[in-house]
Amino acid sequence: MSDAVIDMRGVTRWFGREEVLAGADLTVERGSVTALLGRNGCGKSTLLRIAVGLLGRHGGEARVLGVDPEALGVGERLRMAYVNDVTATPGRTRIRDEIELHARLRGDRWDDGHAKELLERFEVPLDKRIGALSKGQQARLRLVLALASRPELLVLDEPALGLDLFARHELMELLIDLVQEEGRTVVIASHLIDDVERIADRLAFIREGRVTHAGTLDELRDRFRRVRVSVEAGGSAALDRAPSELIGVRQVKTDRAAPPDERVAILDDATDELIARLVDLPGVTRKIEVRRMTIREIYLEVLAGKEEEVTS
């Protein structure tokens, strides 16, 4: 296995008879900001909980900070922080008391000056009870508690879930600033592409318990292409078979906004050779357009179900 901060290979996990992870691979390089993107229920949270040692796996290999997450010691756990959308502390607890508790638990890694700076920056009132905070304020508090110990690895599992548009935007702006300032390794799981596209330099798409595509934003834009071609009447059979016969052709579909003699081929491992082979198929009369796909288009293409295929 590699020396990445997180390296998971072929990880499986069952809940009863349901296989939630079906051989998932995830690599998170040191100093990167990796977004794990997937629809609700696809296995994102399960994969991250396994990565930080909160949940066991049923198969595969995993390392976090060089250690099997099922054998993490206190030292490794203090080097990471995990944040989700749940505030587990009783609502009657005052923020000041919660801060003091986390300071004791984190010991020498807790940076009291940094905590005070973050509390001021996030405008979190120390004397309020946690139950009196808005969802946005609770999300900020969870970040303060995670960041004040300056973790090497910060794992964010849907940190903006349940927040309104303005609170989500504010939270992401704060994260962008903090990530740029600190230079730590960050993993953020979400199903909201607009929230993570600006903060992440790497993306990993998870669907049906597997990571299907991963890479930097530029790598993914280079791999995915929309190839628009015209076909002769009744001559699209060879093109329609392309996804099963040509590796790298994801699907061929009709664009409802285009003339009936046009087809769009989606390539997820595009090369000049593959595009040439596609255009040379019987029944294809000419190439109309080849263009890179946007991250949003890739997101919709990879995560949409067959019944929800999106035409851009």
Side-chain angles (χ1 to χ4, degrees):
M1 302 186 76
S2 77
D3 61 353
V5 175
I6 295 178
D7 195 0
M8 308 177 78
R9 309 289 177 87
V11 171
T12 61
R13 173 70 201 198
W14 293 75
F15 288 106
R17 297 183 179 181
E18 181 183 4
E19 188 179 31
V20 176
L21 295 177
D25 300 334
L26 178 65
T27 301
V28 176
E29 301 294 342
R30 188 172 303 278
S32 69
V33 181
T34 299
L36 184 60
L37 294 165
R39 301 177 67 163
N40 291 334
C42 69
K44 300 188 303 296
S45 295
T46 300
L47 190 62
L48 292 187
R49 285 170 61 82
I50 290 173
V52 298
L54 294 176
L55 191 66
R57 63 188 186 276
H58 291 136
E61 299 177 81
R63 290 289 184 275
V64 58
L65 299 171
V67 179
D68 188 317
E70 296 186 19
L72 287 171
V74 174
E76 290 86 16
R77 291 186 183 279
L78 289 174
R79 294 166 59 195
M80 66 177 75
Y82 170 79
V83 180
N84 61 12
D85 67 316
V86 177
T87 299
T89 306
R92 64 181 179 276
T93 303
R94 292 193 184 279
I95 294 169
R96 188 184 303 279
D97 296 332
E98 185 70 358
I99 295 290
E100 291 176 357
L101 173 62
H102 276 258
R104 290 198 300 272
L105 292 174
R106 289 282 173 170
D108 292 340
R109 289 199 65 95
W110 183 266
D111 185 333
D112 195 53
H114 192 41
K116 290 177 180 176
E117 176 189 334
L118 290 170
L119 286 165
E120 182 176 335
R121 182 174 180 178
F122 287 14
E123 298 179 344
V124 178
L126 282 173
D127 291 326
K128 264 196 173 184
R129 297 185 187 276
I130 291 177
L133 298 179
S134 68
K135 288 184 178 181
Q137 289 174 319
Q138 289 188 15
R140 291 183 211 164
L141 175 60
R142 289 192 291 268
L143 278 178
V144 170
L145 297 174
L147 292 168
S149 58
R150 298 189 184 274
E152 297 174 37
L153 171 62
L154 176 62
V155 178
L156 304 169
D157 185 8
E158 299 277 12
L161 191 66
L163 302 185
D164 62 34
L165 177 63
F166 295 102
R168 285 206 332 256
H169 178 77
E170 181 184 46
L171 187 64
M172 286 299 140
E173 290 297 324
L174 289 168
L175 277 175
I176 289 170
D177 290 344
L178 289 167
V179 167
Q180 290 174 339
E181 290 173 3
E182 298 289 341
R184 60 170 55 85
T185 303
V186 180
V187 186
I188 178 168
S190 180
H191 64 281
L192 302 169
I193 182 65
D194 292 337
D195 281 354
V196 300
E197 187 177 356
R198 293 175 301 145
I199 192 175
D201 48 51
R202 300 183 63 86
L203 302 178
F205 293 94
I206 183 167
R207 179 172 177 175
E208 296 175 356
R210 291 185 176 90
V211 175
T212 61
H213 300 81
T216 67
L217 276 68
D218 284 340
E219 286 170 348
L220 289 166
R221 291 187 188 104
D222 285 339
R223 287 177 57 186
F224 278 80
R225 292 286 191 279
R226 285 174 59 91
V227 181
R228 186 183 297 276
V229 299
S230 63
V231 295
E232 61 189 27
S236 63
L239 186 62
D240 291 338
R241 291 195 302 271
S244 61
E245 297 180 358
L246 294 178
I247 296 174
V249 179
R250 182 176 178 83
Q251 68 164 313
V252 175
K253 58 188 178 182
T254 300
D255 189 332
R256 293 186 293 272
D261 65 339
E262 293 185 7
R263 297 288 188 278
V264 174
I266 304 297
L267 280 54
D268 62 5
D269 196 7
T271 62
D272 291 341
E273 179 185 358
L274 178 60
I275 293 170
R277 291 180 66 186
L278 191 72
V279 174
D280 286 342
L281 288 173
V284 177
T285 58
R286 67 187 178 95
K287 176 177 63 180
I288 299 173
E289 178 191 45
V290 178
R291 70 168 177 84
R292 296 202 309 174
M293 295 171 63
T294 66
I295 294 298
R296 170 170 278 278
E297 287 174 329
I298 295 169
Y299 173 90
L300 292 172
E301 175 62 38
V302 171
L303 298 183
K306 290 183 178 180
E307 73 282 1
E308 302 170 298
E309 288 170 0
V310 178
T311 299
S312 299

